[in-house]
């Protein structure tokens, strides 16, 4: 098993108004994992994710990144290791051109201009915005701004990438392209943790699912085992994807995609 | 049966943003009948937000650009109304919930529109209670908007508009940040308003997979044009539609793959698990 890159120990978070959003969380994420974080509105997903790059600090308990406690580390230094894409792209976009926005991260990390340029070019290309480099982010649609937010993080090439609902407002083609891109980064060794409400994407891409409910960890397991427990999931207002519901009505297990179900129903083609 | 009259008429609508080289809307025509529940989907950049702004009058009243063609409400062009007059009839939910928020707390935010419309305090109170219950934020009534999660904010935006009970409701991706059960409940709630109050609803949505079963009619916007329209079961049977990046229900996706592999033709696709089961039964029956 790979080593832990992210360790959450007895983590609790209480907001200034006294609301406790996270309650004694304990888990580890290992190098190269592709993890989905799901759960109902207000479950604590964003609150948890913001602890990984120091935007929020534990009220009690601790977070370790590569074994080192985040306490005492600045957001700017954590940003070298953990890239974070916000739930609302407009909370992170503040430059007047697409290229400047994407250059901000690598520039801040202290890279030389030629390297910054290369990274910006590659990142914008990866999200299909290379032709919009000189445009203002205001002239982009919401989905395009979301991809710009991702490009800014890609340009930093951090080992851990945390994404808060990256495919919200994306059409299906864009969502799949974005997830494919994350899959590619994952195969290169990046550890990916993404928050989503799209269970079909979870089934198709994630290796492991963390399910939050009112600040506690309700389930932690493979896609297969998590989606086999609809009654538990319903406590946090999540349902298995439709195809898994259909398969289970037919008494079939281990089906994750529509293609899986067709393959299961059609007579096996016998190779001659 | 009562004759359904045209409530809104959209004719040969063309719109260019000031700097736009291509039209964001390119000859869009359709009619909205009183009491209809219409869904409009389309890939990113297809023109959904632009069209939605033409339906509530922000285009041309408050957004610069070149517009041709017409949008009318009960036979009167939208540009003949003032925006405040339009907003009494047509409720609107912005794509980004934060765009429409003007208050500090949840309760103030929901009361805002009603107070502006001069509603009596007792009615305001009643409507707030109904609205927060309907969208599941009754526990958050006294919270500051800043302290809410993304999905909770979106629920407040929805409650604020529902509390106004507009005759026509236009929504731009209102469920984008709702959890899976939350978005299904919300679409059901819209259907309830549609049926019980005769509210006409035009909803722009990427979550077609969850929305489709509730709609009278689904329109597909593609590159600024209406590229397909009809009952959702039929529209989503058109293979071009999934090719355009529309998020169709997984059982519909399954039906497409099955039809391709098993060599049969589909004139309608299933939208729900039940409909998926009955397709499988039918197919097995014929095959055996
Ligand atoms: N203010 C603007 N100025 C110039 N062009 C714009 C502006 N707003 C939108 N556009 C362009 O008009 C087209 C239609 O945009 P619109 O926002 O209506 O699409 P959409 O279907 O709502 O997309 P999304 O699913 O991403 O919200 C796009 O090509 C977009 O880039
Ligand atoms: N600044 C704040 N002050 C007080 N409470 C907060 C604050 N921010 C969030 N909360 C509360 O903490 C809980 C968790 O919020 P969080 O944003 O982490 O939820 P989430 O799981 O990301 O939800 P969503 O799916 O809606 O984005 C919610 O009940 C929210 O109201
Ligand atoms: Mg969140
Ligand atoms: Mg839009």
């Amino acid at each position: 098993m790979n080593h832990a890159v992210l360790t959450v120990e007895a983590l609790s978070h209480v907001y200034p108004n006294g609301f406790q959003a996270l309650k004694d969380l304990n888990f580890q994420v290992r190098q190269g994992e592709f993890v989905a974080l799901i759960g109902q509105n207000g479950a604590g997903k964003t609150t948890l994710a913001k602890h990984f790059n120091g935007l929020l600090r534990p009220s009690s308990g601790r977070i370790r990144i590569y074994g080192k406690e985040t306490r005492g580390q600045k957001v700017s230094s954590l940003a070298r290791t953990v890239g974070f894409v916000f739930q609302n792209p407009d909370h992170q976009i503040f430059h007047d051109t697409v290229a400047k926005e994407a250059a901000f991260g690598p520039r801040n990390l202290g890279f030389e201009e030629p390297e910054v340029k290369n990274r910006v070019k590659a990142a914008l290309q990866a999200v299909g915005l290379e032709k919009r480099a000189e445009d203002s982010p205001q002239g982009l649609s919401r989905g395009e701004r979301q991809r710009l937010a991702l490009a800014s993080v890609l340009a930093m090439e951090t080992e851990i990438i945390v994404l808060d609902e990256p495919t919200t407002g994306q059409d299906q083609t864009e969502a799949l392209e974005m997830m494919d891109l994350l899959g590619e980064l994952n195969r290169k060794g990046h550890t990916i943790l993404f928050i989503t409400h799209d269970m079909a994407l979870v089934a198709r891409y994630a290796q492991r699912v963390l399910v939050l409910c009112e600040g506690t960890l309700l389930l932690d397991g493979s896609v297969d085992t998590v989606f086999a427990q609809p009654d538990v999931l319903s406590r946090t207002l999540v349902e298995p994807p439709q195809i898994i519901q259909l398969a289970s009505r037919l008494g079939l297990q281990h089906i994750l995609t529509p293609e899986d179900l067709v393959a299961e129903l059609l007579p096996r083609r016998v190779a001659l | 049966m009562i004759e359904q009259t045209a409530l809104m008429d959209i004719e040969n609508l063309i719109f260019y943003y000031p700097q736009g080289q291509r039209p964001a809307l390119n000859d869009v025509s359709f009619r909205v009948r009183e009491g209809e529940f219409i869904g409009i989907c389309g890939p990113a950049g297809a023109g959904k937000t632009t069209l939605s702004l033409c339906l509530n009058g922000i285009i041309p009243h408050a957004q610069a650009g070149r517009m041709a063609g017409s949008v009318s409400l009960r036979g009167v062009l939208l540009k003949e109304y003032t925006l405040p007059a339009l907003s009494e009839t047509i409720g609107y939910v912005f794509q980004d919930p934060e765009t429409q928020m003007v208050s500090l707390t949840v309760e103030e935010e929901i009361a805002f529109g009603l107070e502006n419309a001069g509603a009596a305090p007792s009615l305001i109170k009643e409507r707030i209670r109904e609205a927060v219950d309907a969208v599941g934020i009754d526990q958050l009534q006294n919270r500051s908007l800043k302290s809410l999660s993304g999905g909770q904010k979106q629920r407040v935006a929805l409650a604020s508009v529902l509390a106004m009970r507009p005759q026509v409701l236009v929504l731009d991706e209102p469920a984008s940040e709702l959890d899976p059960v939350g978005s299904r409940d919300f679409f059901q709630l819209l259907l309830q308003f549609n049926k019980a109050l005769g509210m006409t609803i035009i909803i722009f949505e990427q979550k077609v997979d969850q929305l489709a079963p509730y709609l009278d009619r689904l329109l597909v916007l593609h590159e600024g044009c209406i590229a397909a329209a009809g009952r959702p079961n039929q529209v989503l049977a058109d293979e071009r539609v999934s090719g355009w990046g529309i998020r169709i229900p997984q059982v519909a996706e399954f039906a497409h793959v099955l039809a391709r592999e098993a060599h049969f033709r589909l004139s309608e696709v299933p939208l729900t698990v039940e409909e998926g089961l009955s397709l499988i039964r039918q197919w097995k029956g014929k095959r055996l």
Side-chain angles (χ1 to χ4, degrees):
Chain A
M1 229 190 206
N2 287 343
H3 58 278
V5 295
L6 191 68
T7 308
V8 175
E9 290 171 12
L11 173 67
S12 293
H13 188 86
V14 181
Y15 279 107
N17 69 353
F19 185 83
Q20 180 164 11
L22 300 177
K23 300 169 186 162
D24 192 26
L25 291 178
N26 290 283
F27 65 90
Q28 287 192 332
V29 175
R30 293 174 185 283
Q31 162 81 43
E33 278 194 304
F34 199 148
V35 183
L37 178 58
I38 65 174
Q40 72 188 96
N41 292 137
K45 304 179 297 297
T46 299
T47 306
L48 174 58
K50 282 183 174 168
H51 279 80
F52 300 150
N53 68 345
L55 285 178
L56 289 176
R57 301 294 177 165
S59 303
S60 62
R62 56 185 66 75
I63 308 271
R64 294 180 200 280
I65 309 282
Y66 287 92
K68 192 168 169 223
E69 216 187 309
T70 56
R71 189 188 307 270
Q73 294 192 61
K74 290 202 190 109
V75 173
S76 57
S77 101
L78 286 167
R80 292 175 186 278
T81 321
V82 187
F84 185 76
V85 181
F86 280 75
Q87 181 161 357
N88 185 338
D90 300 330
H91 291 174
Q92 91 183 74
I93 294 175
F94 48 92
H95 289 85
D96 60 0
T97 72
V98 166
K100 278 189 210 157
E101 183 62 43
F104 176 75
R107 237 174 230 153
N108 239 15
L109 295 182
F111 288 104
E112 304 286 333
E113 271 316 294
E115 172 68 12
V116 171
K117 265 214 160 105
N118 284 338
R119 286 180 171 219
V120 167
K121 199 171 158 205
L124 291 181
Q125 200 151 17
V127 301
L129 286 177
E130 67 275 20
K131 292 203 179 105
R132 311 293 295 267
E134 295 314 316
D135 291 357
S136 151
Q138 262 81 58
L140 302 180
S141 75
R142 164 109 189 210
E144 289 166 338
R145 290 203 301 283
Q146 209 126 18
R147 282 186 281 151
L148 171 57
L150 173 62
S152 328
V153 168
L154 292 182
M156 299 203 280
E157 300 183 6
T158 51
E159 286 152 276
I160 303 172
I161 303 176
V162 179
L163 308 101
D164 197 351
E165 302 195 31
T167 62
T168 299
Q170 304 277 351
D171 66 37
Q172 184 70 348
T173 311
E174 288 177 331
L176 294 176
E177 277 173 12
M178 190 178 277
M179 295 307 298
D180 284 340
L181 176 64
L182 296 177
E184 215 172 284
L185 291 166
N186 179 246
R187 280 188 293 281
K188 287 186 192 156
H190 294 266
T191 305
I192 314 265
L193 192 144
F194 71 110
I195 296 173
T196 188
H197 291 299
D198 187 336
M199 297 306 129
L201 287 186
V202 174
R204 204 176 269 275
Y205 289 93
Q207 297 158 356
R208 174 176 168 199
V209 189
L210 298 175
V211 186
L212 276 188
C213 177
E214 295 179 356
T216 63
L217 199 55
L218 193 60
L219 289 172
D220 174 1
S222 69
V223 174
D224 236 8
T225 56
V226 165
F227 284 139
Q229 302 174 66
D231 295 342
V232 182
L233 290 174
S234 73
R235 293 194 344 230
T236 192
L237 303 187
V238 170
E239 292 179 329
Q242 207 183 23
I243 208 68
I244 295 182
Q245 293 179 39
L246 179 59
S248 105
R249 291 284 296 273
L250 296 166
L252 299 170
Q253 287 174 332
H254 312 302
I255 303 286
L256 295 179
T257 65
E259 293 81 0
D260 291 350
L261 183 56
V262 171
E264 184 71 33
L265 291 177
L266 281 178
R268 306 255 179 284
R269 302 226 167 79
V270 184
L272 294 178
Chain B
M1 206 177 134
I2 304 161
E3 170 88 17
Q4 286 187 315
T5 51
L7 177 73
M8 294 187 81
D9 215 333
I10 295 88
E11 274 187 297
N12 305 109
L13 185 62
I14 297 174
F15 185 77
Y16 285 85
Y17 282 99
Q19 255 76 53
Q21 260 116 64
R22 288 186 308 117
L25 296 175
N26 191 5
D27 200 6
V28 170
S29 300
F30 64 98
R31 281 181 158 196
V32 181
R33 286 182 288 271
E34 186 104 47
E36 256 195 309
F37 189 178
I38 299 183
I40 303 182
C41 63
K48 298 182 296 299
T49 297
T50 310
L51 180 56
S52 73
L53 296 173
C54 292
L55 296 182
N56 71 0
I58 290 187
I59 295 178
H61 283 283
Q63 163 71 53
R66 279 188 293 136
M67 178 178 164
S70 65
V71 180
S72 55
L73 172 69
R74 301 204 171 94
V76 179
L77 294 177
L78 291 203
K79 62 179 181 205
E80 308 291 332
Y81 292 85
T82 63
L83 265 187
L86 277 176
S87 69
E88 274 174 29
T89 310
I90 305 178
Y92 186 74
V93 177
F94 284 89
Q95 182 161 8
D96 182 349
E98 291 180 34
T99 333
Q100 75 187 70
M101 296 192 161
V102 291
S103 320
L104 284 177
T105 71
V106 171
E107 195 170 284
E108 286 165 17
E109 178 66 21
I110 302 174
F112 180 78
L114 290 161
E115 277 167 0
N116 264 3
S122 58
L123 179 71
I124 295 179
K125 231 175 136 192
E126 185 188 319
R127 289 282 182 83
I128 291 178
R129 197 178 38 74
E130 275 174 18
V132 295
D133 281 345
V135 303
I137 50 169
D138 44 315
Q139 305 293 319
L140 303 175
Q141 213 162 318
N142 300 314
R143 287 273 291 274
S144 84
L145 293 174
K146 268 203 344 248
S147 79
L148 299 181
S149 78
Q152 289 169 339
K153 274 185 201 149
Q154 193 159 42
R155 286 167 193 256
V156 175
L158 300 174
S160 312
V161 175
L162 289 175
M164 300 287 292
R165 301 264 182 95
Q167 291 162 40
V168 183
L169 184 53
V170 178
L171 311 99
D172 190 8
E173 298 196 37
S176 58
E177 294 185 60
L178 298 191
D179 53 51
V181 174
S183 39
R184 199 197 46 210
D185 285 352
F186 177 65
F187 297 145
Q188 266 167 7
L189 182 69
L190 286 180
L191 182 66
Q192 220 173 302
F193 273 82
N194 171 255
K195 291 276 177 277
L197 303 176
M199 191 184 279
T200 304
I201 299 177
I202 306 163
I203 173 171
F204 292 80
E205 215 12 284
Q206 293 286 3
K207 291 185 171 175
V208 187
D209 53 343
Q210 288 191 293
L211 173 66
Y214 305 107
L215 298 173
D216 294 324
R217 198 146 61 102
L218 176 66
L219 310 185
V220 184
L221 199 59
H222 183 242
E223 296 180 350
C225 306
I226 304 273
R231 285 186 30 242
N233 299 70
Q234 288 167 348
V235 171
L236 300 180
D238 184 341
E239 287 218 60
R240 289 177 310 163
V241 171
S242 39
W244 290 331
I246 309 298
R247 194 169 279 117
I248 72 174
Q250 278 194 315
V251 295
E253 217 180 313
F254 158 78
H256 279 298
V257 180
L258 183 67
R260 207 155 46 227
E261 301 274 319
H263 310 290
F264 64 90
R265 274 180 57 83
L266 283 171
S267 56
E268 291 202 350
V269 281
L271 303 177
T272 61
V273 170
E274 292 307 323
E275 290 174 5
L277 282 171
S278 81
L279 172 79
I280 293 172
R281 264 185 239 117
Q282 257 179 33
W283 167 69
K284 281 195 167 159
K286 280 196 191 125
R287 203 168 50 121
L288 289 176

